[in-house]
Amino acid sequence: MKDTLSVGAPVIEAKGLNLVFQTADGPVHALKDVNLTINAGEFVSFIGPSGCGKTTFLRAIAALEHPTAGTLTVNGITPDEARRKRAYGYVFQAAGLYPWRTIAGNIRLPLEIMGFSKPDQAERVARVLDLVELSGFANKFPWQLSGGMQQRASIARALAFDADILLMDEPFGALDEIVRDRLNEELLKLWARTGKTIGFVTHSIPEAVYLSTRIVVMSPRPGRITDIIDSPLPRDRPLDIRDSREFIEIAHRVREGLRAGHQDE
Amino acid sequence: MSDKPAHWTMETFATIQTMKFVAGAGVGVAAVAFADPGLAGILGFWVIACIINVWVVRFLGDFSHWLAPVLFGATVLLVWEMVVAVYAISPVILPAPSAIAAKIATSLPILWTDFAQTVLKGAIPGFLIGASAAFVTAILIDRSPFLQRGLLPIGNFVAALPIVGLAPILVMWFGFDWQSKAAVVVVMVFFPILVNLVAGLQASERMQADLMATWGASYWQALWKLRLPAAMPFFFNGLKIASTLALIGAIVAEFFGSPVYGMGFRISTEVGRLGLDMVWATIAVAALAGSALYGLITLIERGVTFWHPSQRH
């Protein structure tokens, strides 16, 4: 009951979405007939092999790519308008922190660009640093931090301006298993505390199942959605839920979906 | 001494190497002594100085950072002095360092006037004007792909012009005084700075540009907060290359017309009068000025690009 109540109105709506890249080797059909609605407060993972269009779809939501056919709306407006209204924070696979700025300076950067007042900036930086447990590192430079800490700082940066949507493109892909587990746990806590809508691209089946309320399975050439799996797992998830029967069943279904997509070729 | 075996072995190894070097050099010097005692003396001194320097580097740690180059420089000067004295070399071919030093000491007012004319009025203003012009042009080029196609080839063309052809023309245009020298310097430093900065502005990662887009940053915000800072290591490379060119340009331009002072004027007239000690004195000033200019830029670079992997210590 709690789950259905906390999921709100549609935030991201894609209808008949197509995206074709013109390359030197001819057109590449990156997204074909994608239909998907993501509601407020959902945690949706996109999983699939390379070239399935999961990153392209996320980038299209963020207006970093432009669909060639179909409609895509974010909060009822076009992605470009949503971008200008700063509707989302985007986290990339690499932390992408600026080496000439301190951790606090990096988190302050989007706030400076968006014209927040100085006291507001300081207050927000302190709050998100605390949220990702990096409070003691405000004045360190990125290269003085481990990869996991850098990625936490980049998440803090995406959270600082309080966008309702968080788009994450394999944010933990370059980190080792142990760090990834801890960050996954922290991300779930953060999601529970902030109630944000999260779109999350991953290669990892356990990561997708552990984090998501819904898992979108995609398949390449052309990039398309082959299965959408609603997770019956409760919102509150300890790490050892991954040994439960439900978890293993969902993981199995995701794996089957990925395999089916592969056989279609 | 260290108690680590590996460290100890390395130092022992180094000591053995040094001893081998000493033994070999000793045999060599002894052999030369039969044929040419003077040369043997010079070589012997050189070998001893080398050994002292090796030991300084090995055992004086922090001191060696500045002591070793000073020792090396002093060694070179002393060997030079000895060679000139032992072989009685004509001062027209190669004056002794002591003679050059004496000339510098007695000609300070002239050297200062020349320095002020060539470096302070010619090279430095030309460098600053050229660097500013390159900076503005790089941003114009960055703004417009059309200019990128048009301006870069023109810059390339101007850079390919030989300075001995360009300098007389600019002297005709801007007169004999420092203005024409500054103009030559502007032309010489413009292109290396421009090319480096244009490359630097394209060096920021796609992902960081994407981040700027997701924050709704304007062109100028992205330029100021991301792309210019990211371009600074390239910019300073250009400045360092240009700093040596600036001095060359200012000196060589004076060969094609100048008032009766200036480092280029001094070199060309003193060569004619066989006053080679004055030529060497001027060269010494030029070397010092060039090193100082380069060092100053390096110092500023260290402050600005402290974050770059090449600057992190």
Side-chain angles (χ1 to χ4, degrees):
Chain A
M1 264 325 271
K2 190 175 170 250
D3 280 0
T4 44
L5 278 178
S6 59
V7 168
V11 172
I12 296 158
E13 285 184 288
K15 290 197 188 96
L17 200 67
N18 278 271
L19 200 151
V20 180
F21 289 114
Q22 299 299 336
T23 71
D25 302 330
V28 171
H29 215 144
L31 289 174
K32 187 177 185 325
D33 303 329
V34 169
N35 295 295
L36 185 71
T37 302
I38 299 176
N39 298 313
E42 271 198 285
F43 196 128
V44 179
S45 284
F46 301 87
I47 190 166
S50 303
C52 71
K54 54 191 191 298
T55 293
T56 308
F57 185 55
L58 210 65
R59 289 175 62 86
I61 297 171
L64 295 172
E65 307 287 353
H66 294 92
T68 40
T71 61
L72 177 62
T73 59
V74 177
N75 291 331
I77 52 180
T78 68
D80 251 326
E81 288 164 345
R83 177 173 70 89
R84 280 195 289 276
K85 289 192 169 174
R86 283 114 185 199
Y88 48 76
Y90 204 106
V91 180
F92 291 86
Q93 177 166 13
L97 300 168
Y98 295 9
W100 54 86
R101 281 176 169 253
T102 60
I103 295 300
N106 268 285
I107 296 170
R108 204 183 308 120
L109 181 60
L111 304 176
E112 286 172 12
I113 286 171
M114 296 174 189
F116 286 83
S117 73
K118 279 262 148 71
D120 198 11
Q121 289 179 17
E123 186 270 318
R124 282 163 180 270
V125 169
R127 181 164 51 79
V128 292
L129 272 174
D130 192 43
L131 210 59
V132 297
E133 291 169 19
L134 280 178
S135 292
F137 298 89
N139 295 321
K140 294 278 184 205
F141 283 94
W143 73 83
Q144 297 169 316
L145 268 57
S146 70
M149 289 162 100
Q150 288 184 26
Q151 196 55 281
R152 264 150 61 197
S154 88
I155 293 170
R157 181 177 57 183
L159 292 171
F161 48 94
D162 254 333
D164 292 330
I165 308 167
L166 197 54
L167 301 172
M168 309 178 87
D169 186 0
E170 292 188 55
F172 310 134
L175 305 176
D176 69 59
E177 196 84 20
I178 298 161
V179 177
R180 179 190 273 226
D181 274 355
R182 215 192 50 240
L183 290 182
N184 279 343
E185 230 182 332
E186 286 175 10
L187 181 59
L188 275 184
K189 279 189 207 147
L190 205 138
W191 173 60
R193 253 178 294 170
T194 57
K196 292 193 186 306
T197 312
I198 300 183
F200 190 94
V201 164
T202 179
H203 269 120
S204 156
I205 296 174
E207 189 172 66
V209 179
Y210 177 62
L211 293 173
S212 321
T213 55
R214 247 188 326 157
I215 301 154
V216 177
V217 182
M218 299 182 75
S219 139
R221 284 174 293 276
R224 64 201 185 279
I225 295 175
T226 49
D227 197 5
I228 298 176
I229 301 162
D230 282 301
S231 171
L233 297 175
R235 284 208 155 203
D236 189 22
R237 302 172 183 184
L239 265 180
D240 55 16
I241 202 170
R242 295 182 299 181
D243 299 322
S244 72
R245 203 169 47 81
E246 289 100 325
F247 188 97
I248 291 164
E249 271 170 13
I250 305 164
H252 180 76
R253 195 174 148 197
V254 173
R255 191 173 294 112
E256 289 298 308
L258 287 171
R259 194 171 299 157
H262 235 50
Q263 282 160 355
D264 286 353
E265 283 180 41
Chain B
M1 288 293 280
S2 167
D3 53 1
K4 286 182 200 147
H7 197 130
W8 185 83
T9 318
M10 205 182 75
E11 287 200 343
T12 317
F13 176 74
T15 312
I16 291 171
Q17 288 303 95
T18 314
M19 283 161 64
K20 275 194 206 162
F21 173 70
V22 171
V27 171
V29 169
V32 173
F34 284 104
D36 186 343
L39 183 59
I42 295 167
L43 285 178
F45 170 76
W46 183 262
V47 168
I48 291 165
C50 272
I51 293 166
I52 291 173
N53 224 348
V54 167
W55 282 78
V56 162
V57 170
R58 188 135 279 281
F59 295 111
L60 283 184
D62 291 344
F63 279 115
S64 69
H65 189 65
W66 58 267
L67 192 56
V70 168
L71 273 178
F72 177 75
T75 310
V76 170
L77 288 179
L78 274 169
V79 167
W80 176 356
E81 185 80 37
M82 288 161 83
V83 167
V84 172
V86 167
Y87 294 102
I89 293 172
S90 152
V92 175
I93 302 299
L94 183 69
S98 58
I100 298 171
K103 190 72 191 176
I104 291 176
T106 55
S107 322
L108 280 179
I110 297 177
L111 289 171
W112 170 255
T113 314
D114 291 351
F115 171 80
Q117 171 72 8
T118 306
V119 178
L120 300 186
K121 289 186 185 162
I124 290 178
F127 179 81
L128 293 177
I129 295 169
S132 315
F135 192 89
V136 172
T137 312
I139 288 169
L140 287 177
I141 286 178
D142 181 67
R143 270 300 255 175
S144 139
F146 171 74
L147 288 180
Q148 196 160 355
R149 279 191 300 263
L151 277 183
L152 273 185
I154 292 175
N156 203 340
F157 175 76
V158 173
L161 294 175
I163 180 174
V164 289
L166 200 64
I169 296 172
L170 290 173
V171 169
M172 290 302 128
W173 286 359
F174 295 102
F176 278 8
D177 210 348
W178 60 269
Q179 290 88 344
S180 59
K181 282 61 189 181
V184 170
V185 173
V186 168
V187 173
M188 280 187 87
V189 303
F190 180 75
F191 192 65
I193 300 177
L194 176 70
V195 169
N196 273 286
L197 191 52
V198 167
L201 286 173
Q202 289 158 358
S204 44
E205 289 167 43
R206 165 107 185 271
M207 190 190 72
Q208 302 199 321
D210 282 348
L211 270 173
M212 280 288 173
T214 67
W215 300 330
S218 69
Y219 169 83
W220 294 106
Q221 282 178 323
L223 181 74
W224 190 245
K225 304 234 184 228
L226 165 64
R227 301 178 58 235
L228 271 179
M232 281 302 118
F234 290 78
F235 183 55
F236 275 96
N237 270 344
L239 289 183
K240 285 196 277 192
I241 296 167
S243 75
T244 54
L245 288 176
L247 216 54
I248 295 172
I251 290 174
V252 171
E254 287 179 7
F255 288 16
F256 301 94
S258 69
V260 290
Y261 44 85
M263 292 160 80
F265 168 83
R266 192 72 51 207
I267 290 173
S268 60
T269 48
E270 289 292 334
V271 164
R273 294 164 48 187
L274 290 186
L276 266 295
D277 50 352
M278 193 62 191
V279 173
W280 280 90
T282 304
I283 290 174
V285 174
L288 279 178
S291 306
L293 205 58
Y294 190 92
L296 182 68
I297 294 173
T298 308
L299 220 63
I300 299 172
E301 178 188 31
R302 202 168 290 171
V304 173
T305 67
F306 67 94
W307 49 271
H308 194 258
S310 67
Q311 301 285 353
R312 291 181 213 153
H313 299 298

